[in-house]
Structure formats: C-alpha cells, structure tokens
Amino acid sequence: MIIAIQLLVLLLITLSTILVVGVPVVLASPGQWEQSKGLIYTGAGLWTGLVIVTSLVNSLVV
Amino acid sequence: MINWQVIAQLVSLGVIVLVGPAVIILLSLKRGNL
C-alpha cells in the first residue's frame, strides 16, 4: 500500500511540474488557448482527482 | 557509499529552479505575449 502512495505522489509531482510550465505557456501563446483549453481543463481535473485520491489512500495507511 | 537522498534533493532543487526560466524561454520561442 505504501508503494501506491509513493506512485501517486510521484504522479502528482510530475503532473504538477507539467502544469506549472504548460498553463502559462498556453495562456500567453497567441491562439493557443482556444486550441488547448480542453487539455488544460483535463489536466486540472486529473490533478484535483489525484490530490483527493492520494489523501484517501494516505488516510487508509497512516 | 553514495548519499542518494542528497542527490535526489539536488535534482529536485534543479527542477524547481529551471522550471521558471523554462516558461520564459518557451514563450519567447513561440513568440508568445511576454
């Protein structure tokens, strides 16, 4: 179970890093927002879900 | 004996430090609104 938390946290850190770079680049590139906003919303939703799932799994273990 | 924890900390610090300028460089390459 601990390995599950570690993998979830690794995934969360990776996705966070991608979003930290990706969101401002998409927002400030001309015409890019209309093209990529679905991807950004999906990434944000996935990130929120990962936070909730990680907290649930963590509360089961510790 | 290699201190893997310190190496991981330095790698993490490197990622955090480089991510900021990466946004600026990507935007300048894409001719974004800087």
Side-chain angles (χ1 to χ4, degrees):
Chain A
M1 205 61 170
I2 289 177
I3 189 78
I5 295 181
Q6 289 177 336
L7 285 175
L8 281 170
V9 170
L10 182 67
L11 216 64
L12 192 58
I13 292 171
T14 311
L15 184 61
S16 300
T17 311
I18 292 170
L19 284 174
V20 157
V21 178
V23 170
V25 170
V26 165
L27 281 173
S29 300
Q32 190 78 43
W33 173 248
E34 292 302 322
Q35 192 185 333
S36 309
K37 66 177 174 184
L39 203 63
I40 297 293
Y41 286 145
T42 308
L46 200 65
W47 187 91
T48 310
L50 263 175
V51 169
I52 293 168
V53 169
T54 307
S55 73
L56 288 177
V57 174
N58 186 57
S59 66
L60 288 178
V61 169
V62 180
Chain B
M1 182 90 87
I2 302 173
N3 195 341
W4 290 109
Q5 232 172 19
V6 172
I7 293 176
Q9 287 170 355
L10 286 171
V11 169
S12 304
L13 181 65
V15 169
I16 291 167
V17 166
L18 290 176
V19 140
V23 172
I24 309 296
I25 290 167
L26 274 173
L27 277 177
S28 70
L29 288 175
K30 291 164 72 81
R31 303 199 177 282
N33 186 359
L34 283 169

